[in-house]
Amino acid sequence: MLKLAIMGAMREEIEPILKHFSDIKVNEYANNKYYEFKYDNLEIILAYSKIGKVNASLTASVLIEKFKCNVLLFTGVAGAINPDLKIGDLLIANKLCQHDIDITAFGHPYGYIPEGKVFIETSKILRDLAFHIASENNIKLSLASIATGDQFINSNTQKDFIKNTFRADALEMEGASVALVCDALDVPFLVLRSISDTANMDAGFDFDEFLKSSSKTSANFILHMIDKLKNFTSIEDK
Ligand code: ADE
């Protein structure tokens, strides 16, 4: 039986999903609200973590350890690094890294923590399912490498560092921490993002302007995924 976790970082990122369902039970736990509902045979728990890697790690851990979710989808917005990605474009991550990990003083590469790895991959089954849905519904979907860090990036200098160091296509503030939790706890996961800005000097303005519409693009795709996942009993990746 699948128990599906859906998470975003901000209220705006999950609201279009929440609005879609009724009979919602609200569980308050660890300074947050976890929205619980059923769709067909699927049990779903939805939450937004608040911004950043620590909040996102907490929420992902609670979704898995307390609420016993065994698959996790993240939805939200991202800043584009790859110039082919435009505002409103939809992407799924193939792999994610933390761009703000720096213990290079000890000879380690950027993004690396001993006994860990720089990049964590998402579930191939969930990626394949996403591309299947995209082609069925004529939705343009890109595969992207995502860099995560606890900064809102709004300069070409910061963006170029991340681009050159990690060859990432997009950046945001939660994905890699969720990936680390899911990988450690053996829960298949996927990170979906729609572009809200291009992480340059206009990023703050663009983010405010496009947060709602891009959140909706990503959330709508999650609704398609929910519709397919209701027919799954398990997700075996490895
Ligand atoms: N999420 C969306 N845009 C972002 C940016 N420019 N920096 C960090 N996270 C983001």
mmCIF file of all heavy atoms in Angstrom, residues 154-200:
data_model
loop_
_atom_site.group_PDB
_atom_site.id
_atom_site.type_symbol
_atom_site.label_atom_id
_atom_site.label_comp_id
_atom_site.label_asym_id
_atom_site.label_seq_id
_atom_site.Cartn_x
_atom_site.Cartn_y
_atom_site.Cartn_z
ATOM 1 N N ASN A 154 20.598 35.787 -6.184
ATOM 2 C CA ASN A 154 20.151 36.887 -7.048
ATOM 3 C C ASN A 154 21.344 37.674 -7.606
ATOM 4 O O ASN A 154 21.310 38.899 -7.670
ATOM 5 C CB ASN A 154 19.156 37.802 -6.325
ATOM 6 C CG ASN A 154 19.782 38.509 -5.148
ATOM 7 O OD1 ASN A 154 20.846 38.106 -4.677
ATOM 8 N ND2 ASN A 154 19.153 39.566 -4.673
ATOM 9 N N SER A 155 22.383 36.941 -7.994
ATOM 10 C CA SER A 155 23.492 37.614 -8.682
ATOM 11 C C SER A 155 24.160 36.639 -9.641
ATOM 12 O O SER A 155 24.212 35.424 -9.381
ATOM 13 C CB SER A 155 24.518 38.142 -7.682
ATOM 14 O OG SER A 155 25.423 37.123 -7.319
ATOM 15 N N ASN A 156 24.671 37.189 -10.723
ATOM 16 C CA ASN A 156 25.337 36.346 -11.713
ATOM 17 C C ASN A 156 26.611 35.728 -11.157
ATOM 18 O O ASN A 156 26.995 34.633 -11.562
ATOM 19 C CB ASN A 156 25.630 37.146 -12.986
ATOM 20 C CG ASN A 156 24.360 37.339 -13.803
ATOM 21 O OD1 ASN A 156 23.450 36.504 -13.759
ATOM 22 N ND2 ASN A 156 24.276 38.438 -14.541
ATOM 23 N N THR A 157 27.257 36.421 -10.199
ATOM 24 C CA THR A 157 28.488 35.874 -9.609
ATOM 25 C C THR A 157 28.184 34.577 -8.860
ATOM 26 O O THR A 157 28.861 33.554 -9.049
ATOM 27 C CB THR A 157 29.108 36.907 -8.627
ATOM 28 O OG1 THR A 157 29.096 38.185 -9.264
ATOM 29 C CG2 THR A 157 30.505 36.539 -8.215
ATOM 30 N N GLN A 158 27.153 34.630 -7.992
ATOM 31 C CA GLN A 158 26.783 33.427 -7.227
ATOM 32 C C GLN A 158 26.305 32.322 -8.178
ATOM 33 O O GLN A 158 26.644 31.150 -8.022
ATOM 34 C CB GLN A 158 25.626 33.747 -6.270
ATOM 35 C CG GLN A 158 25.970 34.633 -5.097
ATOM 36 C CD GLN A 158 24.687 35.045 -4.372
ATOM 37 O OE1 GLN A 158 23.890 35.817 -4.893
ATOM 38 N NE2 GLN A 158 24.478 34.506 -3.187
ATOM 39 N N LYS A 159 25.507 32.735 -9.138
ATOM 40 C CA LYS A 159 24.942 31.771 -10.086
ATOM 41 C C LYS A 159 26.055 31.094 -10.894
ATOM 42 O O LYS A 159 26.041 29.885 -11.083
ATOM 43 C CB LYS A 159 23.980 32.534 -11.002
ATOM 44 C CG LYS A 159 23.283 31.687 -12.034
ATOM 45 C CD LYS A 159 22.144 32.454 -12.654
ATOM 46 C CE LYS A 159 22.252 32.539 -14.134
ATOM 47 N NZ LYS A 159 21.018 33.066 -14.739
ATOM 48 N N ASP A 160 27.035 31.880 -11.336
ATOM 49 C CA ASP A 160 28.133 31.318 -12.145
ATOM 50 C C ASP A 160 28.987 30.352 -11.331
ATOM 51 O O ASP A 160 29.453 29.338 -11.856
ATOM 52 C CB ASP A 160 29.005 32.446 -12.729
ATOM 53 C CG ASP A 160 28.295 33.176 -13.853
ATOM 54 O OD1 ASP A 160 27.271 32.643 -14.346
ATOM 55 O OD2 ASP A 160 28.738 34.285 -14.224
ATOM 56 N N PHE A 161 29.164 30.660 -10.041
ATOM 57 C CA PHE A 161 29.921 29.731 -9.186
ATOM 58 C C PHE A 161 29.206 28.369 -9.157
ATOM 59 O O PHE A 161 29.826 27.313 -9.326
ATOM 60 C CB PHE A 161 30.057 30.290 -7.757
ATOM 61 C CG PHE A 161 30.550 29.263 -6.778
ATOM 62 C CD1 PHE A 161 31.905 28.927 -6.725
ATOM 63 C CD2 PHE A 161 29.666 28.594 -5.939
ATOM 64 C CE1 PHE A 161 32.356 27.943 -5.846
ATOM 65 C CE2 PHE A 161 30.109 27.613 -5.061
ATOM 66 C CZ PHE A 161 31.452 27.289 -5.014
ATOM 67 N N ILE A 162 27.906 28.407 -8.956
ATOM 68 C CA ILE A 162 27.129 27.152 -8.855
ATOM 69 C C ILE A 162 27.121 26.423 -10.197
ATOM 70 O O ILE A 162 27.287 25.200 -10.271
ATOM 71 C CB ILE A 162 25.696 27.463 -8.360
ATOM 72 C CG1 ILE A 162 25.760 28.019 -6.926
ATOM 73 C CG2 ILE A 162 24.805 26.231 -8.428
ATOM 74 C CD1 ILE A 162 24.486 28.673 -6.446
ATOM 75 N N LYS A 163 26.999 27.203 -11.248
ATOM 76 C CA LYS A 163 26.992 26.621 -12.603
ATOM 77 C C LYS A 163 28.332 25.937 -12.908
ATOM 78 O O LYS A 163 28.375 24.795 -13.352
ATOM 79 C CB LYS A 163 26.743 27.753 -13.600
ATOM 80 C CG LYS A 163 26.744 27.344 -15.040
ATOM 81 C CD LYS A 163 26.528 28.559 -15.920
ATOM 82 C CE LYS A 163 26.556 28.161 -17.380
ATOM 83 N NZ LYS A 163 26.248 29.314 -18.232
ATOM 84 N N ASN A 164 29.415 26.629 -12.606
ATOM 85 C CA ASN A 164 30.733 26.105 -12.967
ATOM 86 C C ASN A 164 31.193 24.988 -12.034
ATOM 87 O O ASN A 164 31.909 24.085 -12.443
ATOM 88 C CB ASN A 164 31.774 27.238 -12.976
ATOM 89 C CG ASN A 164 31.433 28.279 -14.034
ATOM 90 O OD1 ASN A 164 30.809 27.946 -15.050
ATOM 91 N ND2 ASN A 164 31.790 29.538 -13.801
ATOM 92 N N THR A 165 30.784 25.058 -10.767
ATOM 93 C CA THR A 165 31.244 24.059 -9.795
ATOM 94 C C THR A 165 30.450 22.758 -9.904
ATOM 95 O O THR A 165 31.006 21.675 -9.776
ATOM 96 C CB THR A 165 31.124 24.616 -8.358
ATOM 97 O OG1 THR A 165 31.738 25.906 -8.339
ATOM 98 C CG2 THR A 165 31.792 23.715 -7.341
ATOM 99 N N PHE A 166 29.129 22.881 -10.111
ATOM 100 C CA PHE A 166 28.269 21.690 -10.044
ATOM 101 C C PHE A 166 27.612 21.328 -11.376
ATOM 102 O O PHE A 166 26.920 20.320 -11.459
ATOM 103 C CB PHE A 166 27.188 21.897 -8.969
ATOM 104 C CG PHE A 166 27.741 22.100 -7.592
ATOM 105 C CD1 PHE A 166 27.845 23.377 -7.041
ATOM 106 C CD2 PHE A 166 28.198 21.023 -6.857
ATOM 107 C CE1 PHE A 166 28.376 23.564 -5.774
ATOM 108 C CE2 PHE A 166 28.727 21.200 -5.584
ATOM 109 C CZ PHE A 166 28.817 22.480 -5.043
ATOM 110 N N ARG A 167 27.810 22.153 -12.406
ATOM 111 C CA ARG A 167 27.126 21.927 -13.702
ATOM 112 C C ARG A 167 25.618 21.755 -13.498
ATOM 113 O O ARG A 167 24.987 20.933 -14.160
ATOM 114 C CB ARG A 167 27.679 20.682 -14.420
ATOM 115 C CG ARG A 167 29.171 20.690 -14.581
ATOM 116 C CD ARG A 167 29.640 21.364 -15.863
ATOM 117 N NE ARG A 167 31.030 21.789 -15.743
ATOM 118 C CZ ARG A 167 31.503 23.007 -16.035
ATOM 119 N NH1 ARG A 167 30.704 23.938 -16.472
ATOM 120 N NH2 ARG A 167 32.768 23.313 -15.898
ATOM 121 N N ALA A 168 25.060 22.501 -12.560
ATOM 122 C CA ALA A 168 23.627 22.369 -12.277
ATOM 123 C C ALA A 168 22.812 23.189 -13.277
ATOM 124 O O ALA A 168 23.303 24.164 -13.848
ATOM 125 C CB ALA A 168 23.334 22.841 -10.860
ATOM 126 N N ASP A 169 21.564 22.759 -13.507
ATOM 127 C CA ASP A 169 20.656 23.460 -14.429
ATOM 128 C C ASP A 169 19.718 24.419 -13.704
ATOM 129 O O ASP A 169 19.183 25.350 -14.301
ATOM 130 C CB ASP A 169 19.784 22.435 -15.177
ATOM 131 C CG ASP A 169 20.624 21.452 -15.958
ATOM 132 O OD1 ASP A 169 21.357 21.898 -16.858
ATOM 133 O OD2 ASP A 169 20.569 20.241 -15.653
ATOM 134 N N ALA A 170 19.477 24.146 -12.422
ATOM 135 C CA ALA A 170 18.539 24.977 -11.660
ATOM 136 C C ALA A 170 18.947 24.955 -10.197
ATOM 137 O O ALA A 170 19.694 24.072 -9.761
ATOM 138 C CB ALA A 170 17.110 24.436 -11.823
ATOM 139 N N LEU A 171 18.463 25.934 -9.448
ATOM 140 C CA LEU A 171 18.818 25.988 -8.031
ATOM 141 C C LEU A 171 17.594 26.327 -7.195
ATOM 142 O O LEU A 171 16.643 26.954 -7.675
ATOM 143 C CB LEU A 171 19.948 27.004 -7.812
ATOM 144 C CG LEU A 171 19.769 28.414 -8.375
ATOM 145 C CD1 LEU A 171 19.001 29.294 -7.425
ATOM 146 C CD2 LEU A 171 21.126 29.025 -8.683
ATOM 147 N N GLU A 172 17.646 25.873 -5.968
ATOM 148 C CA GLU A 172 16.554 26.141 -5.016
ATOM 149 C C GLU A 172 17.083 25.927 -3.611
ATOM 150 O O GLU A 172 18.301 25.851 -3.428
ATOM 151 C CB GLU A 172 15.300 25.312 -5.366
ATOM 152 C CG GLU A 172 15.547 23.910 -5.913
ATOM 153 C CD GLU A 172 15.776 22.897 -4.845
ATOM 154 O OE1 GLU A 172 16.611 23.122 -3.944
ATOM 155 O OE2 GLU A 172 15.154 21.824 -4.923
ATOM 156 N N MET A 173 16.196 25.815 -2.621
ATOM 157 C CA MET A 173 16.663 25.860 -1.237
ATOM 158 C C MET A 173 16.264 24.653 -0.375
ATOM 159 O O MET A 173 16.419 24.709 0.844
ATOM 160 C CB MET A 173 16.180 27.172 -0.580
ATOM 161 C CG MET A 173 16.688 28.408 -1.312
ATOM 162 S SD MET A 173 16.126 29.974 -0.612
ATOM 163 C CE MET A 173 17.018 30.012 0.928
ATOM 164 N N GLU A 174 15.736 23.588 -1.003
ATOM 165 C CA GLU A 174 15.296 22.445 -0.197
ATOM 166 C C GLU A 174 15.621 21.069 -0.778
ATOM 167 O O GLU A 174 15.834 20.104 -0.027
ATOM 168 C CB GLU A 174 13.757 22.487 0.033
ATOM 169 C CG GLU A 174 13.247 23.649 0.845
ATOM 170 C CD GLU A 174 13.085 24.928 0.017
ATOM 171 O OE1 GLU A 174 13.012 24.816 -1.230
ATOM 172 O OE2 GLU A 174 13.055 26.023 0.610
ATOM 173 N N GLY A 175 15.613 20.961 -2.101
ATOM 174 C CA GLY A 175 15.598 19.643 -2.755
ATOM 175 C C GLY A 175 16.656 18.659 -2.276
ATOM 176 O O GLY A 175 16.331 17.504 -1.957
ATOM 177 N N ALA A 176 17.913 19.090 -2.190
ATOM 178 C CA ALA A 176 18.983 18.140 -1.860
ATOM 179 C C ALA A 176 18.875 17.634 -0.427
ATOM 180 O O ALA A 176 19.301 16.514 -0.126
ATOM 181 C CB ALA A 176 20.349 18.776 -2.092
ATOM 182 N N SER A 177 18.302 18.444 0.466
ATOM 183 C CA SER A 177 18.159 17.970 1.851
ATOM 184 C C SER A 177 17.048 16.927 1.939
ATOM 185 O O SER A 177 17.170 15.938 2.665
ATOM 186 C CB SER A 177 17.907 19.138 2.803
ATOM 187 O OG SER A 177 16.746 19.844 2.464
ATOM 188 N N VAL A 178 15.996 17.117 1.163
ATOM 189 C CA VAL A 178 14.925 16.109 1.089
ATOM 190 C C VAL A 178 15.497 14.828 0.465
ATOM 191 O O VAL A 178 15.211 13.714 0.924
ATOM 192 C CB VAL A 178 13.730 16.647 0.260
ATOM 193 C CG1 VAL A 178 12.698 15.567 0.006
ATOM 194 C CG2 VAL A 178 13.095 17.842 0.969
ATOM 195 N N ALA A 179 16.325 15.007 -0.556
ATOM 196 C CA ALA A 179 16.950 13.854 -1.224
ATOM 197 C C ALA A 179 17.796 13.057 -0.236
ATOM 198 O O ALA A 179 17.757 11.824 -0.216
ATOM 199 C CB ALA A 179 17.810 14.341 -2.390
ATOM 200 N N LEU A 180 18.556 13.777 0.608
ATOM 201 C CA LEU A 180 19.420 13.099 1.573
ATOM 202 C C LEU A 180 18.586 12.263 2.557
ATOM 203 O O LEU A 180 18.906 11.108 2.846
ATOM 204 C CB LEU A 180 20.272 14.134 2.317
ATOM 205 C CG LEU A 180 21.348 13.573 3.242
ATOM 206 C CD1 LEU A 180 22.586 14.458 3.223
ATOM 207 C CD2 LEU A 180 20.850 13.412 4.685
ATOM 208 N N VAL A 181 17.496 12.844 3.038
ATOM 209 C CA VAL A 181 16.632 12.137 3.999
ATOM 210 C C VAL A 181 16.007 10.907 3.335
ATOM 211 O O VAL A 181 16.039 9.796 3.883
ATOM 212 C CB VAL A 181 15.535 13.090 4.549
ATOM 213 C CG1 VAL A 181 14.483 12.322 5.330
ATOM 214 C CG2 VAL A 181 16.162 14.184 5.412
ATOM 215 N N CYS A 182 15.454 11.085 2.143
ATOM 216 C CA CYS A 182 14.787 9.970 1.453
ATOM 217 C C CYS A 182 15.783 8.871 1.095
ATOM 218 O O CYS A 182 15.486 7.681 1.223
ATOM 219 C CB CYS A 182 14.090 10.469 0.188
ATOM 220 S SG CYS A 182 12.670 11.506 0.542
ATOM 221 N N ASP A 183 16.974 9.260 0.659
ATOM 222 C CA ASP A 183 18.003 8.289 0.294
ATOM 223 C C ASP A 183 18.415 7.482 1.534
ATOM 224 O O ASP A 183 18.494 6.263 1.487
ATOM 225 C CB ASP A 183 19.202 9.049 -0.300
ATOM 226 C CG ASP A 183 20.272 8.121 -0.825
ATOM 227 O OD1 ASP A 183 19.946 7.309 -1.722
ATOM 228 O OD2 ASP A 183 21.427 8.190 -0.363
ATOM 229 N N ALA A 184 18.619 8.192 2.648
ATOM 230 C CA ALA A 184 19.055 7.508 3.875
ATOM 231 C C ALA A 184 17.977 6.563 4.395
ATOM 232 O O ALA A 184 18.281 5.506 4.940
ATOM 233 C CB ALA A 184 19.426 8.538 4.938
ATOM 234 N N LEU A 185 16.713 6.952 4.222
ATOM 235 C CA LEU A 185 15.613 6.147 4.779
ATOM 236 C C LEU A 185 14.989 5.233 3.722
ATOM 237 O O LEU A 185 13.961 4.611 3.961
ATOM 238 C CB LEU A 185 14.560 7.067 5.418
ATOM 239 C CG LEU A 185 15.083 7.874 6.616
ATOM 240 C CD1 LEU A 185 14.047 8.876 7.108
ATOM 241 C CD2 LEU A 185 15.489 6.949 7.762
ATOM 242 N N ASP A 186 15.623 5.203 2.536
ATOM 243 C CA ASP A 186 15.212 4.276 1.475
ATOM 244 C C ASP A 186 13.780 4.516 0.975
ATOM 245 O O ASP A 186 13.021 3.578 0.775
ATOM 246 C CB ASP A 186 15.343 2.839 2.008
ATOM 247 C CG ASP A 186 16.034 1.966 0.991
ATOM 248 O OD1 ASP A 186 16.396 2.480 -0.078
ATOM 249 O OD2 ASP A 186 16.188 0.760 1.262
ATOM 250 N N VAL A 187 13.444 5.762 0.804
ATOM 251 C CA VAL A 187 12.103 6.116 0.311
ATOM 252 C C VAL A 187 12.241 6.726 -1.087
ATOM 253 O O VAL A 187 12.938 7.734 -1.258
ATOM 254 C CB VAL A 187 11.414 7.119 1.276
ATOM 255 C CG1 VAL A 187 10.167 7.725 0.661
ATOM 256 C CG2 VAL A 187 11.063 6.419 2.583
ATOM 257 N N PRO A 188 11.619 6.122 -2.110
ATOM 258 C CA PRO A 188 11.698 6.697 -3.461
ATOM 259 C C PRO A 188 11.088 8.098 -3.489
ATOM 260 O O PRO A 188 10.044 8.322 -2.870
ATOM 261 C CB PRO A 188 10.874 5.738 -4.323
ATOM 262 C CG PRO A 188 10.425 4.639 -3.449
ATOM 263 C CD PRO A 188 10.789 4.922 -2.033
ATOM 264 N N PHE A 189 11.767 8.997 -4.202
ATOM 265 C CA PHE A 189 11.297 10.385 -4.195
ATOM 266 C C PHE A 189 11.549 11.032 -5.548
ATOM 267 O O PHE A 189 12.384 10.576 -6.337
ATOM 268 C CB PHE A 189 12.017 11.191 -3.100
ATOM 269 C CG PHE A 189 13.462 11.459 -3.423
ATOM 270 C CD1 PHE A 189 13.866 12.671 -3.969
ATOM 271 C CD2 PHE A 189 14.428 10.474 -3.219
ATOM 272 C CE1 PHE A 189 15.197 12.910 -4.304
ATOM 273 C CE2 PHE A 189 15.758 10.695 -3.559
ATOM 274 C CZ PHE A 189 16.140 11.913 -4.097
ATOM 275 N N LEU A 190 10.808 12.122 -5.780
ATOM 276 C CA LEU A 190 11.029 12.930 -6.968
ATOM 277 C C LEU A 190 10.879 14.404 -6.591
ATOM 278 O O LEU A 190 10.041 14.747 -5.750
ATOM 279 C CB LEU A 190 10.005 12.559 -8.053
ATOM 280 C CG LEU A 190 10.300 13.111 -9.451
ATOM 281 C CD1 LEU A 190 11.626 12.616 -10.000
ATOM 282 C CD2 LEU A 190 9.194 12.721 -10.434
ATOM 283 N N VAL A 191 11.726 15.250 -7.192
ATOM 284 C CA VAL A 191 11.630 16.696 -6.971
ATOM 285 C C VAL A 191 11.197 17.346 -8.271
ATOM 286 O O VAL A 191 11.856 17.197 -9.298
ATOM 287 C CB VAL A 191 12.991 17.279 -6.511
ATOM 288 C CG1 VAL A 191 12.905 18.801 -6.385
ATOM 289 C CG2 VAL A 191 13.425 16.660 -5.181
ATOM 290 N N LEU A 192 10.052 18.021 -8.201
ATOM 291 C CA LEU A 192 9.488 18.739 -9.359
ATOM 292 C C LEU A 192 9.554 20.219 -9.095
ATOM 293 O O LEU A 192 9.212 20.673 -7.993
ATOM 294 C CB LEU A 192 7.995 18.413 -9.443
ATOM 295 C CG LEU A 192 7.566 17.328 -10.374
ATOM 296 C CD1 LEU A 192 6.948 16.229 -9.572
ATOM 297 C CD2 LEU A 192 6.563 17.921 -11.320
ATOM 298 N N ARG A 193 9.960 20.974 -10.081
ATOM 299 C CA ARG A 193 10.045 22.423 -9.888
ATOM 300 C C ARG A 193 9.639 23.117 -11.178
ATOM 301 O O ARG A 193 9.914 22.629 -12.279
ATOM 302 C CB ARG A 193 11.487 22.834 -9.553
ATOM 303 C CG ARG A 193 12.038 22.289 -8.244
ATOM 304 C CD ARG A 193 11.663 23.140 -7.070
ATOM 305 N NE ARG A 193 12.330 22.773 -5.841
ATOM 306 C CZ ARG A 193 12.165 23.436 -4.699
ATOM 307 N NH1 ARG A 193 11.383 24.491 -4.625
ATOM 308 N NH2 ARG A 193 12.771 23.049 -3.606
ATOM 309 N N SER A 194 9.028 24.280 -11.014
ATOM 310 C CA SER A 194 8.776 25.133 -12.168
ATOM 311 C C SER A 194 9.568 26.427 -11.962
ATOM 312 O O SER A 194 9.680 26.932 -10.837
ATOM 313 C CB SER A 194 7.271 25.394 -12.293
ATOM 314 O OG SER A 194 7.043 26.349 -13.284
ATOM 315 N N ILE A 195 10.117 26.944 -13.048
ATOM 316 C CA ILE A 195 11.028 28.096 -12.944
ATOM 317 C C ILE A 195 10.256 29.386 -12.605
ATOM 318 O O ILE A 195 9.278 29.736 -13.265
ATOM 319 C CB ILE A 195 11.816 28.276 -14.268
ATOM 320 C CG1 ILE A 195 12.663 27.030 -14.573
ATOM 321 C CG2 ILE A 195 12.668 29.546 -14.234
ATOM 322 C CD1 ILE A 195 13.736 26.706 -13.546
ATOM 323 N N SER A 196 10.749 30.074 -11.541
ATOM 324 C CA SER A 196 10.134 31.344 -11.125
ATOM 325 C C SER A 196 11.012 32.546 -11.469
ATOM 326 O O SER A 196 10.545 33.687 -11.472
ATOM 327 C CB SER A 196 9.902 31.334 -9.618
ATOM 328 O OG SER A 196 11.129 31.092 -8.945
ATOM 329 N N ASP A 197 12.317 32.287 -11.741
ATOM 330 C CA ASP A 197 13.262 33.397 -11.970
ATOM 331 C C ASP A 197 14.549 32.810 -12.531
ATOM 332 O O ASP A 197 14.686 31.587 -12.616
ATOM 333 C CB ASP A 197 13.541 34.131 -10.643
ATOM 334 C CG ASP A 197 14.131 33.201 -9.596
ATOM 335 O OD1 ASP A 197 15.357 32.997 -9.599
ATOM 336 O OD2 ASP A 197 13.365 32.634 -8.799
ATOM 337 N N THR A 198 15.474 33.675 -12.879
ATOM 338 C CA THR A 198 16.726 33.156 -13.450
ATOM 339 C C THR A 198 17.931 33.482 -12.549
ATOM 340 O O THR A 198 19.069 33.544 -13.025
ATOM 341 C CB THR A 198 16.939 33.666 -14.892
ATOM 342 O OG1 THR A 198 16.883 35.096 -14.878
ATOM 343 C CG2 THR A 198 15.866 33.158 -15.833
ATOM 344 N N ALA A 199 17.668 33.658 -11.256
ATOM 345 C CA ALA A 199 18.729 33.793 -10.235
ATOM 346 C C ALA A 199 19.702 34.940 -10.518
ATOM 347 O O ALA A 199 20.832 34.933 -10.033
ATOM 348 C CB ALA A 199 19.474 32.459 -10.068
ATOM 349 N N ASN A 200 19.269 35.911 -11.295
ATOM 350 C CA ASN A 200 20.111 37.085 -11.571
ATOM 351 C C ASN A 200 19.623 38.269 -10.724
ATOM 352 O O ASN A 200 18.843 38.092 -9.780
ATOM 353 C CB ASN A 200 20.088 37.410 -13.072
ATOM 354 C CG ASN A 200 18.672 37.736 -13.554
ATOM 355 O OD1 ASN A 200 17.749 37.867 -12.741
ATOM 356 N ND2 ASN A 200 18.502 37.855 -14.856
#
